Amino acid sequence: MVDVIVAGGGPTGLMLAAELRLHGVAVLVLEKESEPAGHSRARGLHARSVEVMDQRGLVDRFLPLGEKFAVGGFFAGISTAWPARLDTTHSYVLAIPQADTERLLAARATELGAEIRRGCELVGLSQDEDGVSVGLADGTELRSRYLVGCDGGRSTVRRLIGVGFPGEPSRTETLLGDMEVGVPAETLSAVIAEVRKTQLRFGAIPEGDGVYRVIVPANGVAEDRTTAPTLDEFKRQLRVVAGTDFGVHSPRWLSRFGDATRLAERYRVGRVLLAGDAAHVHPPTGGQGLNLGVQDAFNLGWKLAAEVAGWAPEGLLDSYHDERHPVAADVLDNTRAQMELLSPEPGPRAVRRLLSELMEFEEVNRHLIEKITAIGVRYDFGEGHELLGRRMRDVELKRGRLYELMHDGRGLLLDRTGWLSVAGWADRVDYVVDTGGQLDLPAVLLRPDGHVAWVGDDQRDLFDRLARWFGAPAA
C-alpha cells in the first residue's frame, strides 16, 4: 500500500507529488493519457506561482524556457500599465507553455522518487478508516492511505465521492487553435485591431515558425465540448466575425472552451481530497487556472505529508479546504466579472470604459493585478500582525535570500532577536538567526508554503503557534 495516490498527471498532480516526496511520502501518480499532450492550453505562470518555484529551488529551470512580461491587459484585457511596487521580487508574468511546465514538474517529481504511471485510468474507488481502494480500467486494484483527485473539471474522483459541483453552465463558447495563416502579418494585425474594437474574444498570437494561436467566438455552445472543432468550423467563424478566414491552414491543435463556472462543495471527504480543476472550473480570463491548481498543491502537500507522518495537529488537513475554497471562490468571481467586461453589449462596454478609467489609479490597478497574480491572498489565521496569513515575499538576508532557505519544504523561524527557540520542533522547523536589514520584524514563523504563521518576540506565544501548525513537540 502506498501512502498517497494522485489521480491526474497535470501541473496540479505533479506539483503535489513533488511536494509530498520532499517529506518522504510514497506517491503514485496515475495519468489516463498514455503520452504527454503535445499542445499547451495554458501559457503562463503568474507571480505567486513563480515564487512557489523559487521557494523550492526550481525557478532557474523555468526562467530559461519562458519570457517575462510586465505589461497590462491581464484583467479583462484592459491595457493599463503594469502596476509599480507589487509586493514581490518576481513582478512579471512568465510566458511558458503548459507542456514545458508539466515536463519540468514531472522531472522534479521523479527526481524525488515519485512513480508516474501513464495509461492508467481510475474508474472506481471505495474508502474505509484505514485507506482507499482504487479500481483501474484494466481491472487492477490499488490501495493507498489517501487519494487526491487532480483529474480535471470532469473529475471521476469528485463524482465517485459524491461531492456537489454547483455553479453555472457555459453560456458562451470560444474556439481556440494553433495553425498557420495565409496572409501577411501586417494584414492580420490590421484586421484584428479593427475587430477588437467591438469583439474582445478574438485574436491571433504568434507562436513562432509561422504558427499562430487563433481565438474566435463559437456559434453557440456545443452539446459535447470534448469534441474538437474542425478547421472548417474555424474558418466559418472567422469569416462571420472578421469577414475573412485569413487563409488558415495546417492546424496543430484545435479545441473549444466555455465560460462554465463551478466550485466543489467540499475539498475533502474522509481520505479523499480534490485539487485543481477537479475542485473548481472557470473561464480562462486572466490566465489563472493552472496557477490556482499549482497553488492548491502547494498548500495541500505539506499538510497531507504531516498527516501521513503522524505529527499533524488536529484540523490541519481540514485547513486545506478552509483556506483554498475561499481563494477559488474569489477567482470564480473575478473571472465572472471579466467575462461580463468582454461582452460586446452596450451595458458591459460602458462598465468596461468606466473600469478602464478607474484602473488609471495605481491603487486600483495594483489591487486587481494582485488578485490575478495571487500575491494578494491572505488566509484567515485570526487577529494579529498585518502580515499574518499572507505569504512573505523574498528578502535579502545576511546568509542569502529567504527563498533559498525554503527549498526543503520545512517550516522556518527567522529570528532577529537571537533568544527564541524551536526546541521540540527542530525535526519540522528550521531555525535561522539573521539580522538582515530587509527584515523589519523581531521574528517571523513561516509555514512550509511561505505564509506567515506568527510575528513577534514572545517565546510562549511562539510555542503556541508552533503547536498549532506543527503539532506536539517531540519528546
Side-chain angles (χ1 to χ4, degrees):
M1 180 168 71
V2 298
D3 293 326
V4 178
I5 289 176
V6 176
T12 301
L14 294 170
M15 184 73 201
L16 178 61
E19 285 295 289
L20 291 169
R21 284 302 304 152
L22 273 180
H23 301 277
V25 175
V27 183
L28 171 61
V29 179
L30 302 177
E31 169 54 51
K32 69 177 182 178
E33 300 297 334
S34 58
E35 297 292 337
H39 59 270
S40 298
R41 293 187 68 90
R43 303 190 63 80
L45 294 180
H46 283 308
R48 180 53 186 152
S49 295
V50 178
E51 288 184 341
V52 164
M53 302 310 168
D54 198 358
Q55 286 176 242
R56 293 300 181 259
L58 300 175
V59 73
D60 288 340
R61 303 186 188 188
F62 281 82
L63 293 181
L65 300 180
E67 186 175 356
K68 297 178 182 179
F69 287 95
V71 296
F74 284 96
F75 189 86
I78 296 174
S79 57
T80 309
W82 186 258
R85 303 190 309 278
L86 282 182
D87 183 37
T88 178
T89 57
H90 296 287
S91 186
Y92 54 84
V93 174
L94 183 67
I96 181 171
Q98 179 175 334
D100 286 342
T101 296
E102 291 186 6
R103 178 172 54 80
L104 291 173
L105 291 177
R108 172 64 168 174
T110 53
E111 284 171 13
L112 293 172
E115 181 183 357
I116 302 173
R117 293 187 193 172
R118 289 195 162 274
C120 294
E121 182 179 3
L122 183 151
V123 296
L125 69 87
S126 62
Q127 61 174 314
D128 53 43
E129 61 183 18
D130 298 317
V132 184
S133 296
V134 171
L136 304 184
D138 65 1
T140 303
E141 185 169 287
L142 304 172
R143 182 82 171 160
S144 64
R145 296 175 66 183
Y146 290 90
L147 168 68
V148 185
C150 304
D151 51 341
R154 297 179 177 85
S155 170
T156 299
V157 172
R158 187 187 63 239
R159 175 176 57 81
L160 290 174
I161 61 175
V163 169
F165 204 40
E168 306 90 46
S170 290
R171 298 175 301 164
T172 62
E173 186 172 276
T174 306
L175 305 184
L176 176 71
D178 295 341
M179 62 198 73
E180 296 182 38
V181 302
V183 299
E186 302 78 25
T187 302
L188 183 64
S189 298
V191 175
I192 290 172
E194 186 63 29
V195 173
R196 283 182 61 84
K197 292 177 180 178
T198 56
Q199 177 52 264
L200 293 165
R201 289 190 298 118
F202 174 78
I205 304 166
E207 300 281 284
D209 297 326
V211 176
Y212 285 79
R213 170 151 293 188
V214 180
I215 305 164
V216 64
N219 180 23
V221 178
E223 291 185 11
D224 182 7
R225 286 194 296 108
T226 62
T227 301
T230 64
L231 183 60
D232 284 342
E233 185 178 353
F234 246 98
K235 289 182 174 181
R236 184 167 58 251
Q237 287 308 110
L238 287 170
R239 289 192 293 267
V240 169
V241 174
T244 173
D245 62 15
F246 302 109
V248 294
H249 62 94
S250 305
R252 273 53 167 182
W253 165 68
L254 301 174
S255 185
R256 63 178 87 236
F257 64 86
D259 62 346
T261 307
R262 298 185 181 278
L263 179 60
E265 291 177 334
R266 291 177 289 168
Y267 282 14
R268 180 188 179 192
V269 176
R271 291 178 173 268
V272 183
L273 300 103
L274 302 172
D277 289 353
H280 39 70
V281 296
H282 53 84
T285 45
Q288 299 168 89
L290 181 153
N291 294 274
L292 184 59
V294 164
Q295 293 155 30
D296 283 347
F298 202 55
N299 182 284
L300 174 59
W302 70 278
K303 296 174 181 178
L304 185 52
E307 196 73 26
V308 170
W311 60 258
E314 183 178 357
L316 181 66
L317 192 54
D318 285 330
S319 75
Y320 165 62
H321 168 95
D322 296 339
E323 292 173 5
R324 296 303 297 171
H325 195 271
V327 171
D330 188 67
V331 170
L332 266 60
D333 276 349
N334 84 56
T335 55
R336 286 185 180 105
Q338 290 184 75
M339 287 302 295
E340 290 297 322
L341 293 168
L342 294 175
S343 169
E345 295 298 318
R349 289 177 65 187
V351 176
R352 181 185 179 86
R353 289 191 293 271
L354 176 60
L355 185 60
S356 298
E357 293 178 13
L358 294 175
M359 286 183 69
E360 293 297 328
F361 292 96
E362 178 70 14
E363 294 81 2
V364 176
N365 190 19
R366 185 169 60 250
H367 176 75
L368 293 176
I369 294 301
E370 285 179 351
K371 278 185 175 293
I372 295 292
T373 61
I375 62 173
V377 169
R378 182 178 189 176
Y379 300 140
D380 184 5
F381 293 175
E383 297 295 324
H385 192 277
E386 63 179 0
L387 286 178
L388 192 65
R390 296 187 181 277
R391 101 282 178 262
M392 191 159 181
R393 65 172 293 161
D394 195 19
V395 294
E396 290 290 340
L397 305 170
K398 284 194 172 181
R399 56 180 295 177
R401 295 189 299 114
L402 172 63
Y403 285 3
E404 292 174 339
L405 305 178
M406 306 187 72
H407 291 179
D408 293 334
R410 292 158 52 87
L412 174 66
L413 177 64
L414 197 56
D415 181 15
R416 293 186 68 195
T417 70
W419 66 63
L420 297 172
S421 170
V422 294
W425 288 273
D427 59 329
R428 289 155 262 172
V429 180
D430 292 326
Y431 177 60
V432 174
V433 176
D434 199 300
T435 57
Q438 284 192 312
L439 184 68
D440 189 23
L441 301 166
V444 58
L445 176 66
L446 300 179
R447 304 191 316 182
D449 59 359
H451 281 257
V452 176
W454 174 82
V455 176
D457 58 7
D458 182 272
Q459 182 68 66
R460 182 174 298 179
D461 189 29
L462 171 60
F463 279 166
D464 288 343
R465 290 292 176 153
L466 285 165
R468 174 179 175 180
W469 293 113
F470 298 99

